[in-house]
């Protein structure tokens, strides 16, 4: 026994050592479960060939062919020997040999593991299913390296499998519609970081986004003519399946149903004429669960919709029902009294209990947001938790399968580090092994109130790659600095897939600047981030579905690199007073101080930028204060109280938002100022 424990200990230490070496050399995301580096090397040349053995299907050949094209594009090497990988490519002496035991099924808990061996002259990917092979190919592309001798794959042995089976992204296409090409490039990004569930939020108060042949008024009256045809849904599902990604539909009921009630007002609790909601938020219109005609309608609609999505799961929403319309209608109040219901949530549980056999009849498993978790809810319903960790762990302790979204709301503009450290099973939470098994995984959520097809990529990527790692990699992979190091590189790799999270900025900046000279705006935007949480949609001007999303807050992206690095430099400088750090800080402060003059020139022909004028002035004044503070620190001199008071006032003023954005270097510069008084 002692010898066995020693071997386990040695194995763990060697694994950690390999991971350390990996971090120094490679930029993998997600980090694999086990990595060992060896001295091998496989050069990439025009003679590179791929073979597939075992029992593959057409998906494997297509993905192997896509790998060849991507490798050629990444390296610029003409891989002319192999246009496509086909069933004829079985030569076991090929550069890359993929062996799979069987095609994978697109279902929860399918085997997604793979092994990847790179030794001198050969690469081998071995898997149970082709899903694992697809993941292995993504890892292999991330391993492409270069030196003076050319492009190559470094020697490495990888054993990899996901920590959680459900690694999802919710894409809201109801509040702002996302065309098929946006969905496709989103799926490409998801596959690159080994995510496997696309959750499509397909209807809300603002629109119903899928063609119904049984109830055509839904697209005629409840979509503004902007919806997916059933053929387009089929295209999306097939495109996702090709990349090993499941598509889970959400049709939210009984609240957030203004669009449905616009087309079919007879199912509303309050009888009136409804119109599509143009604002965003939580509204009172709700279906009438006491109307027996509602259930045949939902059965026909959900049966039709579920037939478009082969996945086992069907999401019914169930969130944000205010209950006000129910409480205001006499016949509903009477129904509740007769059935002993004390609250409107009791009525919603009744509604969910009526829905469950309808969903089961379609062959699906029902999911709902955590509001559906009420006494009497059947255990076979899966809970998606968004309101807090307490609700999430309460559900698994009660025996419900659950998906964590709390802490993964990427539309709230929080940094990647926040999402990255949000572990579904933290050490602080005590669960039994059985309870842990109820945790299916997690799901990032991209709600689209404040995004359009132009800007949505910048809100999803690259931060979602950090969430993907949290859901795939071992729990011990949690170094934030190393995550950011790799994330910056992965961001460029994602752009090569056609994602627009980097390139969109220049398009919007040229529009705002009325020309090609965008440099002053670039400098300002590099230190700005949009207002976080829900603050952007507060104030005198509320956003609607028709609002322009081409302004300063749309150009500024979450978790900006420039302020993040600057803030780290200031923290380090205040500890060691390094002359190198001092110069780097000084150079940035000079740039920001001087930028205001050039920015003012832009304003002469760019009225739309006027909302950024105060931000530019504040940044310049703040930078000037920082330069003064830096000089005091350099000269080892202190300043008087009046100087400190003036500079703190500048910093306080700079914390004010403008254009619904905030300057992200205020606190760091204020720390420089405050340091002067304690020298």
């Amino acid at each position: 026994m002692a010898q066995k424990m020693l071997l386990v200990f040695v194995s763990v230490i060697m694994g950690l050592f390999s991971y350390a070496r990996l971090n120094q050399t490679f930029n993998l995301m997600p980090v694999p479960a086990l990595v060992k580096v060896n001295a091998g090397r496989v050069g990439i040349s025009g003679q590179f060939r791929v073979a597939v053995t075992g029992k593959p299907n057409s998906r494997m050949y297509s993905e192997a062919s896509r790998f060849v094209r991507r490798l050629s594009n990444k390296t610029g090497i003409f891989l002319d020997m192999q246009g496509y990988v086909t069933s004829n490519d079985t030569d076991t002496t090929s550069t890359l040999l993929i062996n799979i035991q069987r095609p994978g099924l697109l279902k929860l808990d399918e085997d997604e593991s793979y092994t990847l061996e790179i030794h001198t002259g050969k690469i081998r990917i071995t898997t149970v299913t082709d899903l694992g092979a697809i993941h292995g190919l993504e890892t292999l592309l991330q391993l492409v390296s270069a030196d003076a001798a050319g492009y190559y794959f470094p020697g490495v042995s990888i054993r990899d499998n996901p920590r959680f089976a459900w690694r999802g992204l919710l894409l809201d296409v109801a509040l702002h519609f996302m065309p098929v090409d946006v969905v496709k490039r989103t799926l490409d990004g998801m596959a690159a970081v080994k995510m496997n569930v696309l959750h499509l939020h397909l209807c809300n108060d603002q629109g119903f986004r899928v063609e119904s042949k049984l109830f055509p008024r839904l697209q005629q009256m409840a979509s503004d003519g902007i919806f997916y045809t059933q053929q387009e849904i089929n295209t999306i599902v097939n495109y996702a399946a090709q990349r090993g990604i499941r598509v889970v539909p959400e049709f939210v009921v009984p609240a957030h149903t203004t669009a449905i009630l616009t087309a079919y007002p007879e199912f509303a609790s309050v009888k009136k004429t409804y119109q599509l909601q143009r604002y965003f938020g939580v509204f009172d219109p709700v279906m009438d669960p006491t109307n027996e005609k509602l259930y045949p309608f939902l059965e026909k609609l959900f049966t039709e919709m579920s037939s478009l999505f082969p996945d086992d799961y069907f999401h019914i929403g169930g969130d944000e029902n205010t209950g006000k319309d129910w409480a205001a209608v006499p016949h509903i109040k009477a129904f509740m009294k007769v059935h002993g219901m004390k609250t409107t949530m009791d009525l919603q549980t009744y509604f969910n209990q009526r829905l469950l056999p309808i969903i089961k009849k379609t062959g699906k498993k029902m999911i709902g947001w955590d509001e559906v978790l009420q006494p009497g809810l059947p255990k076979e319903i899966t809970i998606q938790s968004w309101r807090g960790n307490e609700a999430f762990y309460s559900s698994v302790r009660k025996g419900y399968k659950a998906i964590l979204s709390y802490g993964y709301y990427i539309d709230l503009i929080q940094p990647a580090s926040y999402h990255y450290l949000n572990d579904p099973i933290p050490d602080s939470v005590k669960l039994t092994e059985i309870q842990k098994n109820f945790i299916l995984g997690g799901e990032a959520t991209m709600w689209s109130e404040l995004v359009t097809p132009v800007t949505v990529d910048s809100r999803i990527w690259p931060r979602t790659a950090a969430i993907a790692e949290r859901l795939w990699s071992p729990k011990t992979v949690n170094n934030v600095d190393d995550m950011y190091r790799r994330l910056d590189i992965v961001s460029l790799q994602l752009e090569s897939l056609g994602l627009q999270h980097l390139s969109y900025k220049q398009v919007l900046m040229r529009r705002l600047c009325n020309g090609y000279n965008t440099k002053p705006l670039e400098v300002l935007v590099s230190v700005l981030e949009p207002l976080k949480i829900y603050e952007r949609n507060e104030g005198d001007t509320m956003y609607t579905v028709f609002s322009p999303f081409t302004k300063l807050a749309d150009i500024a992206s979450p978790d900006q690199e420039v302020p993040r690095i600057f803030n780290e430099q200031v923290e380090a400088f205040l500890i060691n007073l390094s002359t190198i750090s001092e110069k780097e800080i000084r150079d940035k402060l000079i740039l920001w101080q001087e930028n205001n003059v050039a920015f003012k020139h832009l304003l002469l022909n760019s009225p739309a930028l006027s909302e950024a004028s105060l931000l530019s002035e504040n940044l310049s004044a703040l930078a000037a204060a920082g330069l003064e503070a830096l000089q005091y620190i350099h000269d080892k001199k202190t300043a008087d109280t009046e100087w400190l008071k003036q500079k703190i006032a500048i910093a306080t003023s700079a914390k004010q938002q403008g254009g619904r954005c905030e300057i992200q270097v205020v606190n760091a510069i204020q720390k420089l100022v405050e340091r002067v008084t304690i020298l």
Side-chain angles (χ1 to χ4, degrees):
M1 178 64 72
Q3 184 178 9
K4 183 177 180 181
M5 292 182 65
L6 178 61
L7 288 173
V8 170
F9 176 75
V10 171
S11 176
V12 171
I13 294 299
M14 290 302 294
L16 292 174
F17 176 70
S18 295
Y19 172 54
R21 289 186 62 189
L22 169 78
N23 278 353
Q24 295 168 12
T25 311
F26 306 134
N27 305 295
L28 300 180
M29 182 174 275
V31 168
L34 179 64
V35 180
K36 293 183 179 180
V37 180
N38 62 63
R41 174 184 175 122
V42 176
I44 304 172
S45 70
Q47 307 303 307
F48 190 97
R49 289 192 65 87
V50 179
V52 182
T53 60
K55 295 183 179 179
N57 59 3
S58 60
R59 175 169 58 199
M60 189 68 258
Y61 294 123
S62 295
E63 286 305 291
S65 298
R66 192 165 76 97
F67 166 83
V68 173
R69 299 282 70 76
R70 290 169 65 190
L71 179 62
S72 181
N73 289 333
K74 189 179 183 75
T75 61
I77 296 173
F78 288 74
L79 304 178
D80 293 336
M81 292 188 65
Q82 194 170 34
Y84 294 95
V85 181
T86 71
S87 58
N88 294 323
D89 293 303
T90 57
D91 183 356
T92 57
T93 65
S94 297
T95 319
L96 168 60
L97 177 62
I98 304 169
N99 180 264
I100 66 173
Q101 296 180 20
R102 61 176 174 83
L105 300 176
L106 289 179
K107 66 175 186 178
L108 188 69
D109 291 323
E110 176 60 293
D111 193 311
E112 299 178 81
S113 64
Y114 67 94
T115 64
L116 171 61
E117 299 282 346
I118 303 176
H119 297 281
T120 300
K122 62 181 181 180
I123 305 171
R124 300 291 181 262
I125 294 177
T126 306
T127 68
V128 173
T129 73
D130 63 331
L131 301 179
I134 292 171
H135 296 321
L137 289 174
E138 294 293 348
T139 299
L140 189 56
L141 281 168
Q142 289 186 346
L143 282 168
V144 173
S145 304
D147 59 16
Y151 289 98
Y152 68 96
F153 292 106
V156 68
S157 296
I158 291 176
R159 305 286 185 274
D160 201 10
N161 59 275
R163 183 178 170 208
F164 293 103
W166 193 297
R167 306 178 306 282
L169 168 66
L170 177 149
L171 182 62
D172 169 20
V173 299
L175 305 183
H176 273 108
F177 184 73
M178 299 293 155
V180 172
D181 66 316
V182 175
V183 180
K184 284 184 173 181
R185 71 187 190 226
T186 301
L187 287 164
D188 287 340
M190 292 174 63
V193 293
K194 302 180 175 63
M195 301 184 86
N196 65 352
V197 179
L198 176 64
H199 170 174
L200 285 179
H201 182 79
L202 291 160
C203 66
N204 210 293
D205 299 293
Q206 294 77 13
F208 190 96
R209 303 301 183 191
V210 182
E211 173 192 19
S212 172
K213 297 184 185 298
L214 295 180
F215 302 102
R217 281 158 55 187
L218 286 171
Q219 62 262 25
Q220 293 166 358
M221 300 177 62
S223 73
D224 285 323
I226 307 172
F227 60 92
Y228 302 113
T229 66
Q230 293 195 4
Q231 180 56 49
E232 286 174 324
I233 290 294
N234 184 61
T235 297
I236 290 170
V237 169
N238 289 339
Y239 194 89
Q242 178 60 49
R243 285 147 182 76
I245 297 173
R246 300 159 43 211
V247 180
V248 174
E250 179 185 350
F251 293 92
V252 57
V253 288
H256 283 305
T257 48
T258 303
I260 295 177
L261 300 179
T262 297
Y264 296 95
E266 60 267 32
F267 299 123
S269 296
V270 175
K271 299 301 183 282
K272 65 178 184 179
T273 300
Y274 289 85
Q275 295 180 334
L276 293 179
Q277 181 57 248
R278 303 309 188 183
Y279 287 89
F280 305 114
V282 180
F283 306 100
D284 296 333
V286 61
M287 291 176 166
D288 181 358
T290 72
N291 183 349
E292 284 300 318
K293 294 181 180 180
L294 172 64
Y295 299 102
F297 166 76
L298 289 177
E299 181 171 355
K300 291 177 182 178
L301 177 63
F302 285 175
T303 299
E304 180 187 22
M305 293 297 106
S306 65
S307 70
L308 303 176
F309 299 91
D311 195 73
D312 290 341
Y313 285 84
F314 191 95
H315 205 303
I316 56 88
D319 61 317
E320 296 185 322
N321 178 11
T322 68
K324 291 182 180 179
D325 277 10
W326 285 350
V329 177
H331 79 269
I332 293 179
K333 290 193 292 184
F335 181 91
M336 292 175 62
K337 184 176 181 179
V338 168
H339 289 82
M341 299 176 186
K342 296 181 180 180
T343 69
T344 54
M345 291 311 298
D346 293 336
L347 182 57
Q348 178 144 335
T349 298
Y350 165 83
F351 174 76
N352 292 331
Q353 290 170 336
R354 294 289 302 270
L355 271 190
L356 182 58
I358 292 174
I359 302 302
K360 290 175 67 176
K361 190 175 180 180
T362 68
K364 306 296 186 182
K365 299 175 182 177
M366 185 166 143
I367 309 178
W369 296 103
D370 56 23
E371 286 97 326
V372 305
L373 183 58
Q374 301 293 330
L377 186 76
K379 292 287 197 303
E380 54 198 303
I381 297 176
T382 299
I383 308 300
Q384 184 165 4
S385 182
W386 72 280
R387 293 184 301 171
N389 285 334
E390 184 176 342
F392 179 64
Y393 298 115
S394 174
S395 64
V396 297
R397 287 188 175 111
K398 292 176 181 177
Y400 293 89
K401 292 182 178 179
I403 302 160
L404 180 65
S405 281
Y406 178 76
Y408 299 140
Y409 265 52
I410 52 178
D411 61 309
L412 300 186
I413 318 296
Q414 292 162 302
S417 56
Y418 169 80
H419 302 303
Y420 190 64
L421 296 177
N422 182 53
D423 195 279
I425 311 178
D427 293 336
S428 58
V429 175
K430 304 305 178 185
L431 299 172
T432 67
E433 289 304 312
I434 293 176
Q435 291 167 345
K436 289 178 182 179
N437 288 333
F438 286 132
I439 297 177
L440 303 183
E443 198 170 273
T445 54
M446 183 65 254
W447 298 102
S448 66
E449 290 100 326
L450 302 176
V451 296
T452 67
V454 173
T455 61
V456 67
D457 290 2
S458 69
R459 273 45 180 171
I460 299 175
W461 309 107
R463 291 177 301 147
T464 296
I467 298 174
E469 178 161 288
R470 176 52 47 239
L471 299 174
W472 176 284
S473 299
K475 185 176 183 177
T476 53
V477 179
N478 56 16
N479 185 299
V480 170
D481 290 338
D482 186 64
M483 178 272 291
Y484 273 120
R485 178 188 67 78
R486 292 175 289 115
L487 190 64
D488 289 342
I489 296 167
V490 169
S491 182
L492 293 174
Q493 295 171 349
L494 290 167
E495 186 183 39
S496 71
L497 291 170
L499 290 161
Q500 300 174 8
H501 58 292
L502 300 177
S503 61
Y504 89 102
K505 284 191 177 186
Q506 284 297 326
V507 176
L508 292 189
M509 284 194 287
R510 285 192 291 269
R511 180 184 297 176
L512 282 184
C513 293
N514 272 335
Y516 291 98
N517 178 25
T518 62
K519 186 62 179 178
L521 180 57
E522 287 180 49
V523 171
L524 176 60
V525 166
S526 71
V527 297
L528 302 180
E529 290 181 11
L531 294 178
K532 296 175 175 57
I533 317 300
Y534 298 106
E535 292 181 1
R536 182 178 170 185
N537 202 25
E538 297 175 354
D540 297 334
T541 303
M542 299 292 289
Y543 284 89
T544 74
V545 295
F546 305 123
S547 298
F549 291 88
T550 56
K551 297 170 74 65
L552 191 68
D554 304 294
I555 299 172
S557 53
D559 207 4
Q560 294 265 47
E561 180 183 20
V562 169
R564 173 166 51 83
I565 292 176
F566 178 80
N567 295 340
E568 291 171 356
Q569 289 172 336
V570 169
E571 291 287 351
F573 172 71
L574 292 176
I575 293 172
N576 55 35
L577 300 183
S578 163
T579 55
I580 296 176
S581 296
E582 181 182 343
K583 182 181 184 308
E584 292 171 338
I585 293 169
R586 188 182 301 278
D587 289 345
K588 288 188 175 70
L589 292 174
I590 292 173
L591 174 66
W592 298 335
Q593 181 192 28
E594 296 177 348
N595 188 65
N596 188 50
V597 175
F599 187 80
K600 293 298 184 186
H601 283 294
L602 276 185
L603 289 178
L604 298 177
N605 296 305
S606 308
L609 286 176
S610 60
E611 64 179 1
S613 180
L614 183 59
L615 286 172
S616 181
E617 293 173 2
N618 284 341
L619 178 63
S620 181
L622 184 67
L627 285 168
E628 288 185 40
L630 202 61
Q631 193 61 46
Y632 272 114
I633 296 171
H634 178 85
D635 296 337
K636 298 181 180 179
K637 294 181 179 179
T638 59
D640 58 34
T641 304
E642 186 59 31
W643 178 91
L644 176 63
K645 182 178 179 181
Q646 291 174 357
K647 305 313 171 189
I648 293 296
I650 290 172
T652 301
S653 177
K655 291 178 181 178
Q656 300 178 46
Q657 68 96 1
R660 312 215 178 188
C661 293
E662 294 175 312
I663 300 173
Q664 298 299 304
V665 295
V666 178
N667 290 338
I669 295 176
Q670 183 168 327
K671 289 178 181 178
L672 288 174
V673 169
E674 293 171 343
R675 177 62 177 267
V676 171
T677 62
I678 58 174
L679 286 172

